[in-house]
Amino acid sequence: MRNQLNALFVLSLIFFVFTCSKDDDNITSTPARDRAEQQASDMDTLQNYFETHYYNSGELNALSTYPTLDDIVISKLEDGESLPPNTTLLSEAVEPKTTTFKDVDYTYYILSIEEGLGEHPHFTDQVRVNYEGNTMDDEVFDGSVNPIDLDLIAVVPGWNRVLPQFKTSNAFTTNSDGSITFENYGIGVMFLPSGLGYFNSATSGISSYSCLVFKFELYQYKVMDHDNDFIPSYMEDEDDNMDVFDDNTDDDRFYNFDDNDDDGDGYKTFREVLYTEYTDSTRAGLEAQLQALVPLDSNQFFTAIETENDGSFSAKLITLEDTNGNGIPNYLDSTDAATIN
């Protein structure tokens, strides 16, 4: 099972994972170009797009309701056309961001409409979103009809750079028809160079080396522990480079986030940490218990709150022990005595 999981994540990073129709299973790849050279070319493409496209800033600012994807309208400024009133050129509105991926420095851009009032997800979390994807010629190639859950490990790298910079909804209402209305969610637009998209892969509606535009609404998130070893996946990025596919402490077939024995010493990772479980019949009650334990030591953290089958709530307080005091926690140190919890 772990082998299948590992293979799934690798393939998902390479291929387009949003579109579910069978027509988009026909994925092809062209020979890979030099990433740094392609990034330089993509920067020209993006800058040209920003200089020739505007968005309806005035209408968005005047809304009496919370903005949605449909409210964000990006239009092309035709040759000889003056900028319409109450609009803003993208070149004057987008915010550049930088990251490193595959040893190449990338610049991408964000148009922030609302940051949101909830919490920031981690780059390895599962998120619930609505989204719409466009190419540089303003053709929509994909989108969600209803909120959809996506694992940020299994999407293009631009997504797990952008979404953690926004916040989730801070409240929601369940309507009489069973639908949910989210409040105060993060909403914006990301503009990605091909190196943070699908690079040399092509599928229906997207050619190789395409720069991409995604509108998104960020509703909720779930902290992921992909190998169920009590270490959240975002904490298994040992070199802090936002890439869990280059962290493999024991150099076996499995990356740390997908390895339940990270140091390969024969003891499962969850047996090499100390943990105390807390439960309560209500989420608020459990949160009060956990808050009473704050501040935590630097080697402690809480796991995500889980809902049990009986409707109660639980979370664990994890303590990372370092028995031999060499600065490496037991679960990452094959020479350290295991904590058999």
Side-chain angles (χ1 to χ4, degrees), residues 295-311:
L296 301 179
D297 293 336
S298 60
N299 65 333
Q300 293 181 311
F301 60 89
F302 295 120
T303 61
I305 294 177
E306 301 285 350
T307 304
E308 303 298 334
N309 292 333
D310 62 0

Side-chain angles (χ1 to χ4, degrees), residues 140-162:
V140 176
F141 61 81
D142 192 30
S144 57
V145 177
N146 297 305
I148 184 174
D149 294 338
L150 298 173
D151 189 333
L152 289 179
I153 275 183
V155 297
V156 296
W159 273 65
N160 60 35
R161 268 69 175 175
V162 172

Side-chain angles (χ1 to χ4, degrees), residues 278-286 289 307 310-314:
Y278 295 86
T279 61
D280 200 280
S281 59
T282 67
R283 188 181 187 96
L286 177 58
Q289 285 191 59
T307 304
D310 62 0
S312 64
F313 298 86
S314 68

Side-chain angles (χ1 to χ4, degrees), residues 37-111:
E37 292 178 1
Q38 183 60 40
Q39 169 65 0
S41 175
D42 288 345
M43 287 295 291
D44 290 339
T45 300
L46 289 169
Q47 291 301 326
N48 180 68
Y49 186 86
F50 299 149
E51 292 292 344
T52 58
H53 286 74
Y54 59 90
Y55 81 107
N56 57 332
S57 56
E59 291 181 358
L60 289 172
N61 291 332
L63 286 175
S64 60
T65 57
Y66 205 78
T68 67
L69 294 187
D70 291 338
D71 293 322
I72 306 172
V73 180
I74 296 177
S75 305
K76 184 176 182 180
L77 187 66
E78 301 296 342
D79 291 342
E81 180 185 2
S82 299
L83 187 67
N86 298 317
T87 64
T88 303
L89 269 180
L90 289 178
S91 60
E92 299 176 2
V94 295
E95 182 179 0
K97 302 286 186 176
T98 59
T99 189
T100 300
F101 179 65
K102 293 189 178 296
D103 298 323
V104 174
D105 293 331
Y106 282 100
T107 299
Y108 60 96
Y109 298 85
I110 295 175
L111 176 63

Side-chain angles (χ1 to χ4, degrees), residues 10 15 37 57 60 98 101 110 124 172 198 226 253 263 271 306 316 326 330:
V10 173
F15 299 137
E37 292 178 1
S57 56
L60 289 172
T98 59
F101 179 65
I110 295 175
T124 58
F172 65 88
Y198 306 107
H226 290 88
R253 295 181 299 163
D263 57 5
R271 300 184 69 197
E306 301 285 350
K316 296 179 179 64
N326 67 350
N330 288 359

